[in-house]
Each structure stands twice: as structure tokens, then as C-alpha cells.
Amino acid sequence: MKMELVNLSKKFGDVYAVKNVSLAAEDGELVALLGPSGCGKTTTLLSIAGVYRPTEGEILFNGLCVNKMQPKERDIGMVFQSYALYPHMNAYQNIVFSLVLRKRPKDEMERAAKRVSEMLGIGHLLKRKAAELSGGQQQRVALARALIKEPKLLLFDEPLSNLDARLRLSMREEIKRLQVQLGITSIYVTHDQVEAMTMADRVAVMHDGELLAYVPPEELHERPRTEFIATFIGSPSMNLADVTVDNTGGSAHAVLKNGVSVKIPKERLPRMPQRGNAVRLGIRPEDVSVVAERSADVQARVTFVESLGRENLVVCDVGGQRIQCLTGPGQKPPLDSTVGLKLDMSRAHYFDPESQVSLLWEN
């Protein structure tokens, strides 16, 4: 099923929780709504589900406006962060509950429960009470309960937030595998960029109720259209520095506040803001290297080192400017030592200091 939002807005009192959001999820596509708490992603999801009625705009299922339809009329399945299982029921009873309400025959319910439980590897758990299940098992039961209805649209509201890191990884794989196998159009709300980047066909980044970008995951990282997207996507987050661009003398340079100058490749030269040549330089930690002083772009003082296992996060001070970089496990400079940094300016980004939009990529 194709799901479309056309200029969707939702107000609570005088405050817009969601403002003028337009996007389309194609048939069989998994779309992630990504953003920090309070950005409007759950409000958008609950509007699609029919829990909230839009203040403005339309929600279309295969071209049909469903704004006035009740949730039970929309042919959707929902998976919640809290699992929302009935504790007095066993797993089987929770899974088939929607079919019981529809008064389906007992043998039909048993066949459907066996099919979805085997698909999710929980066939041996059907007689256990919900309270006797682990978090991962409860989440699989909740997913089976949504799938047994064979919905045309599957909605996820931060379903993995209550699981530990190892379970989140396995459940990400499980959900994506099932979604592709069944071909169900899915909307997945999360604040976790890893979930969005690894699972979604396209990611809608939201902030303050507005849609900032709706693109494939790799484009968010490689071609961020705003400063917010650039810093929100990627871990550790992107380094930002106020610089001036000197484009005289036949070559361009980014000049930091302390006077240090770094050459800008011609293919990465940004458009200049109308107000002058002051811009915000962004460069990711993986594009900054610790090198010998003779080949360094800048000298820096090490202020913090954090071991991340296969690599180290090294935080440096460059004339009052904080710069993060990543080094290999055997490269761990001492605190307060002086190191040379090499900036890969062929991968640098630039943003307008006022509007915070990219000076490299079109919005």
C-alpha cells in the first residue's frame, strides 16, 4: 500500500506539533521518521494511525483520504515501545486477540498463530504468560500480534528502545527481514540514527515539527542539507568551526579564528553567503587524522582521549576550537601533548552561519 502525507499539520492549542509535512511511502517501503524527542515524529505516526485527527492536510492510503476513518478501519498493525501485552494472557492469547474480537474460527486462529510464531521463532513460548517472557520475547509477541492481522500498513513506535544493545541488533535484523519478506509498507519512528540508517529505505528527518529532509540514508551522511542534519547524523558528531573563506591569489583557503589556513579543493568550494565570506566549516572526526607535524595542517593540544575498542576518540584544542578525530587502537596520544592534525578538505562541508543551510548541496 502507498501511504502519503499531504501538507499534514497537527496543533495542540496554539502550538504546532507537526507543521506542513508532505512525504510518500511507496508500496513495500520502510520509511523511518527520525529526530530528537519532541520533534513531532510520534505525533505524525499517531495521525497516520488515526489516534489524532489532523488539524490541516490529508493522509492518503492508496490515494484514498482516511482523515475521518477510525483506527480499526485503516487496516494497520502497530508495534509499541512498551509492548502493550495483556499480562494475564499467555503469548498465544495475546497474539490472536485481534482475531478473537473479529470472531474468527478457532482453527483459523490456531493456524495463523502457528504461522507467525514460527516466522518469529516463538512457537515454543505460546503457553507462557507475558510476564514470564524476556524483553526480546515480548517484543516478538507484540510483532506477531501486529502481523497476524495481515495489515497493509505496519507502524512502529520506537519498538526497540527498551532492549539491550545486543537484542536491538538482532531485532533490527529480524524486523527488516520480515518487512522485506512480507512486503508490508512500514513507518518506523525512532530517535536512534543507527536504526534509521540500517533499516530504512528512506529517512524523514524531523525537527521542531518540520520535515528537514526525506532521502535515502546514505545521502543524509554524505550530503547533509542543514547544519542540524550534519550534526545529528554520525557518531561522533561532526566538528563545526567558524571560518572565513579567502578566495584570492588563485586558490581558496578556510581561515580559522586563530589565523590557521587550510586549503579548499576547487571541487569542494562552497557558494558564498550574501553577507560576506564567513561560513561554518563542518568536518567529520573520521576525516581528521593525527599525523607527523611536518605534514600537518594544524597543531593541536590533546584535551581528552576515549577508548572505543577498535578506535580511539581524540579531542583536541586548536586555538580555542574543539576538534574531534578518530585514531587506531595503537595510536593514543597522551593528554596535554601536542599533535599534528590533517584535515581531509575534500570531504568538508559548509553551512550558512545564519540560515544553517548547506552551501554545497541544494535543498
Side-chain angles (χ1 to χ4, degrees), residues 289-324:
S289 307
V290 174
V291 298
E293 292 187 24
R294 63 180 178 275
S295 56
D297 292 320
V298 298
Q299 303 298 311
R301 180 175 64 86
V302 177
T303 60
F304 181 71
V305 180
E306 180 179 3
S307 176
L308 303 177
R310 65 179 180 180
E311 57 195 5
N312 297 309
L313 173 64
V314 180
V315 182
C316 300
D317 178 84
V318 181
Q321 175 67 50
R322 183 176 183 271
I323 299 289
Q324 301 179 104

Side-chain angles (χ1 to χ4, degrees), residues 11 26 32 34 77 89 94 103 105 131 159 170 197 201 236 238 240 263 277 285 295-296 299 301 315 341:
K11 291 175 72 175
E26 299 297 332
L34 174 66
M89 294 182 180
N94 271 282
K103 300 181 179 179
S170 62
M197 300 289 279
D201 298 298
M238 179 182 286
L240 291 172
K263 188 174 181 180
N277 60 351
S295 56
Q299 303 298 311
R301 180 175 64 86
V315 182
L341 298 181

Side-chain angles (χ1 to χ4, degrees), residues 183-303:
I184 301 176
T185 307
S186 302
I187 311 297
Y188 191 103
V189 162
T190 181
H191 64 272
D192 186 331
Q193 59 168 294
V194 175
E195 287 182 17
M197 300 289 279
T198 56
M199 297 175 66
D201 298 298
R202 283 188 288 176
V203 180
V205 179
M206 299 186 68
H207 185 50
D208 291 339
E210 297 185 1
L211 181 65
L212 299 187
Y214 184 44
V215 295
E218 57 274 11
E219 188 169 331
L220 288 177
H221 188 274
E222 297 300 318
R223 299 166 64 93
R225 300 179 183 184
T226 69
E227 190 176 306
F228 173 81
I229 295 172
T231 53
F232 189 72
I233 301 297
S235 181
S237 62
M238 179 182 286
N239 298 299
L240 291 172
D242 292 312
V243 302
T244 54
V245 175
D246 182 358
N247 200 10
T248 60
S251 61
H253 292 78
V255 184
L256 281 69
K257 285 185 176 180
N258 63 351
V260 172
S261 176
V262 186
K263 188 174 181 180
I264 303 173
K266 289 183 179 179
E267 65 273 12
R268 208 70 172 187
L269 186 65
R271 304 185 307 275
M272 288 296 100
Q274 295 181 351
R275 293 164 302 284
N277 60 351
V279 303
R280 292 269 278 172
L281 166 68
I283 189 163
R284 297 197 180 278
E286 56 266 35
D287 297 323
V288 182
S289 307
V290 174
V291 298
E293 292 187 24
R294 63 180 178 275
S295 56
D297 292 320
V298 298
Q299 303 298 311
R301 180 175 64 86
V302 177
T303 60

Side-chain angles (χ1 to χ4, degrees), residues 338-351:
T338 299
V339 297
L341 298 181
K342 184 74 174 178
L343 280 60
D344 185 354
M345 297 298 285
S346 68
R347 294 185 55 79
H349 299 266
Y350 303 91
F351 304 94

Side-chain angles (χ1 to χ4, degrees), residues 85-86 89-100 109 112-114 116-117 120 122-123 125-126 140-149:
L85 301 179
Y86 295 107
M89 294 182 180
N90 62 28
Y92 172 82
Q93 291 168 327
N94 271 282
I95 291 171
V96 302
F97 187 71
S98 63
L99 302 186
V100 171
M109 291 191 292
K114 181 180 179 182
V116 296
S117 61
L120 287 160
I122 55 173
L125 301 173
L126 295 182
R140 283 182 167 87
V141 171
L143 183 55
R145 181 182 57 190
L147 291 174
I148 200 169
K149 299 189 297 181

